[in-house]
């Protein structure tokens, strides 16, 4: 998460990112991307098992140019787990 969060703060003009099967990626990193990288058009989050709906919804709301957001099989995205 720290590497992605740092990248999001410095690479604000990113348009495409692929985090397929990054099993340790969490909402913190994806929300940082959404808040800082508003030029994103393509995002692959399939296989990111720690993500919740909150991260994907934040990305959808904060990235107006987003056209493709792959989240993979439905079990990878769901309500926050405690």
């Amino acid at each position: 998460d720290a590497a992605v969060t740092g990248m999001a703060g410095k690479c604000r003009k990113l348009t495409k990112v692929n985090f397929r099967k990054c099993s340790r990626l969490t909402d913190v990193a994806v929300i940082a991307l959404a808040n800082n990288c508003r030029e994103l058009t393509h995002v692959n989050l399939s296989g990111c098992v720690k993500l919740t709906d909150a991260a994907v919804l934040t990305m959808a709301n904060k990235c107006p140019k987003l056209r493709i957001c792959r989240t993979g099989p439905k079990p990878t995205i769901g309500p926050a787990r405690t």
Side-chain angles (χ1 to χ4, degrees), residues 52-67:
T52 68
D53 290 342
V56 177
L57 289 172
T58 300
M59 185 157 285
N61 289 324
K62 300 272 183 154
C63 300
K65 297 181 179 181
L66 190 63
R67 296 294 170 253

Side-chain angles (χ1 to χ4, degrees), residues 1 6-7 10 12-13 15 20 22 24-25 28 38 42-43 46-47 50 52 54 57 60-61 67 69 72 76-77 79:
D1 279 349
M7 177 186 67
K10 295 188 186 308
R12 295 178 180 266
K13 295 192 184 245
T15 58
R20 184 175 178 262
C22 289
R24 296 190 302 187
L25 192 73
V28 172
R38 305 234 174 162
H42 295 75
V43 177
S46 58
K50 292 187 177 181
T52 68
L57 289 172
N61 289 324
R67 296 294 170 253
C69 183
T76 63
I77 302 296

Side-chain angles (χ1 to χ4, degrees), residues 11 14 20 26 32 39 57 61 68:
C11 303
L14 282 175
R20 184 175 178 262
T26 69
E39 300 294 317
L57 289 172
N61 289 324
I68 297 173

Side-chain angles (χ1 to χ4, degrees), residues 20-38:
R20 184 175 178 262
K21 292 189 179 181
C22 289
S23 60
R24 296 190 302 187
L25 192 73
T26 69
D27 287 1
V28 172
V30 173
I31 290 171
L33 277 172
N35 286 328
N36 292 294
C37 304
R38 305 234 174 162

